[in-house]
Amino acid sequence: MNNKTFAYGRVSSNDQNLLRQLEAFSKLGIDNKNVYVDKQSGKDFEREQYKLLKSILRENDLLVVKSIDRLGRDYNMIIEEWRDITKNIKADIYVIDMPLLDTRKNKDLLGTFISDLVLQILSYVANQERNFIKVRQREGIDIALKNGVKFGRTPKTKEELEEDIHFLKYYSQWKSKQITLVEMQKLLGVKSRTTVYNWIKLFEEKK
């Protein structure tokens, strides 16, 4: 049976663009039918297309990702998933943005050790950077609120929501799980989470 090459791409929300990842896969000659994508947070691996892809992977197949954080966001989960694919399924993984992370190369003990070491370092750095971003966002929100800054206005119709740059910005951040609903409420300067939730429902209604 011929070994197959698969690619996995991910963005955190529907309004983010997969183009760069898809172009990278295309340059490697990966067939579109073997490209699986999720528009979902990388907080865990409970993603429909990822689970489908993993169920198809077989020994000596190749899984390609653009960068390690497209695989996932959590440091420990990435390590566990990497080992499951390479040790249990016995498939290979190639990370385009980090050529050292290519399990097809140097399959001896030293090569495996170097690959595992690089993976752990990159996963840790990615995890720490996300934590720093969350801290900076929280500090920025607290300082602004302390200084009496009011964020946004109070749109009432779907059309107003679609044109409100403040709502669109914080909706996108909430959708990609960068901020919580409570933080979105504070940033928009409204008194009730219910109001924000109702705006979201109204905004997401199909025309």
Side-chain angles (χ1 to χ4, degrees), residues 142-159:
D142 289 343
I143 291 171
L145 292 172
K146 193 173 182 178
N147 290 332
V149 174
K150 296 294 182 182
F151 298 90
R153 55 192 179 87
T154 55
K156 296 179 181 179
T157 68
K158 182 175 176 63
E159 290 72 23

Side-chain angles (χ1 to χ4, degrees), residues 7-11 16-28 35 37 64-67 69-70 96-97:
Y8 178 71
R10 183 185 66 80
V11 290
Q16 292 182 320
N17 201 325
L18 275 161
L19 186 59
R20 287 179 64 250
Q21 295 175 66
L22 297 179
E23 285 180 345
F25 301 149
S26 178
K27 287 179 181 178
L28 292 176
V35 175
V37 298
V64 178
V65 293
K66 180 74 168 63
S67 58
D69 63 341
R70 297 305 87 195
I96 297 173
D97 288 349

Side-chain angles (χ1 to χ4, degrees), residues 66-77:
K66 180 74 168 63
S67 58
I68 196 66
D69 63 341
R70 297 305 87 195
L71 190 60
R73 298 189 324 180
D74 182 271
Y75 164 69
N76 292 318
M77 286 185 179

Side-chain angles (χ1 to χ4, degrees), residues 151-153 155 159-173 188 203:
F151 298 90
R153 55 192 179 87
E159 290 72 23
E160 285 181 314
L161 289 168
E162 290 172 343
E163 295 177 0
D164 190 293
I165 59 173
H166 297 289
F167 174 81
L168 293 174
K169 175 182 177 180
Y170 301 130
Y171 169 81
S172 177
Q173 291 180 0
L188 289 169
F203 179 73

Side-chain angles (χ1 to χ4, degrees), residues 81-130:
E81 203 67 16
W82 183 280
R83 287 175 178 160
D84 188 35
I85 291 171
T86 59
K87 310 298 183 188
N88 297 331
I89 299 176
K90 296 183 180 178
D92 284 306
I93 304 177
Y94 171 47
V95 180
I96 297 173
D97 288 349
M98 180 54 63
L100 280 173
L101 292 177
D102 185 347
T103 62
R104 296 170 297 177
K105 301 177 181 178
N106 304 317
K107 285 184 174 288
D108 58 11
L109 185 61
L110 179 59
T112 301
F113 170 76
I114 292 173
S115 178
D116 286 350
L117 181 61
V118 172
L119 170 66
Q120 291 191 43
I121 292 171
L122 288 178
S123 299
Y124 175 77
V125 169
N127 195 62
Q128 288 299 103
E129 178 59 24
R130 280 186 295 275

